[in-house]
Structure formats: C-alpha cells, structure tokens
Amino acid sequence: MTATLPAIEPLLARLWGGEITDKDYIGYFMNEHGERLVFAQRRGQKTARLWHSDADRQMFHVGDHSLRLDGPLDGMITVEDLIINREEATWLSACLAASRHLRRSRA
C-alpha cells in the first residue's frame, strides 16, 4: 500500500496569496511567538520569495545577500524592510543555502 501525501504547495498558495507550486523549493518556519514564515524558490529565478505573517503576509524577494546586520539599531537583522530575529535569520540562511543551486539553474 502506497500512501500519497496531499500536496502542500496549493494550500500554502491559498493561505499566503502567492504563486507556490510543486516546482518550488519550500521552507516553512514558526517562531516562538507563533508567527509563520514561508520561503519559496523557483528554479531559474534570481530571487526567492519570503512571506512573514507579522508583515501582513507581504511578499519579499530575497537572495544570497539579502540578510543585513545594518538596520537602524545596532545589530538589528533585516531582510529588505523586514526586521527578523536571529532564529528566523538562521532558518532563512539555511533555506537560501539549500536552494542556491536553483538560482543558478535555467528554468
């Protein structure tokens, strides 16, 4: 008997209002406050997409050099205009590293 798992991509696409398909590398994270983050990288795209529930699920484009430690406050970690904590930054860094080969590939 082979169990087929339901595809998570359509569910995430509906919940987050973004285009997420089975062609994307997907990362999911929930922080200590119950806020959820979703990462999606499509093969051949120069940037990945990031959604954060604390940012009204606004989509951010992220790449290998998106994480910054130069926010308005000393030591603040930012991605685009989004402030994230160290755990979120660690997760995002891992997602970016795991999907780097997809950003280099042609669609």
Side-chain angles (χ1 to χ4, degrees):
M1 182 168 136
T2 304
T4 303
L5 296 174
I8 193 166
E9 296 85 3
L11 174 62
L12 288 173
R14 267 197 334 267
L15 291 173
W16 294 85
E19 183 184 328
I20 300 173
T21 72
D22 62 354
K23 296 183 185 345
D24 291 313
Y25 171 90
I26 304 293
Y28 177 82
F29 181 80
M30 184 170 66
N31 69 20
E32 67 213 38
H33 306 292
E35 299 163 344
R36 291 165 169 77
L37 292 84
V38 173
F39 173 95
Q41 174 68 59
R42 177 129 338 130
R43 180 178 299 281
Q45 297 291 313
K46 292 182 182 181
T47 59
R49 291 150 293 152
L50 173 69
W51 294 268
H52 194 305
S53 65
D54 195 39
D56 296 324
R57 296 189 170 137
Q58 174 185 349
M59 184 177 66
F60 298 89
H61 290 277
V62 296
D64 292 324
H65 303 289
S66 294
L67 288 169
R68 303 268 186 222
L69 291 172
D70 56 0
L73 300 174
D74 188 34
M76 181 182 296
I77 305 169
T78 61
V79 177
E80 300 271 324
D81 294 329
L82 179 66
I83 299 169
I84 62 174
N85 66 29
R86 186 166 307 282
E87 292 80 13
E88 293 167 340
T90 300
W91 167 80
L92 180 56
S93 179
C95 287
L96 288 165
S99 63
R100 186 170 291 127
H101 67 285
L102 298 174
R103 288 188 291 288
R104 293 184 188 141
S105 300
R106 292 200 169 158

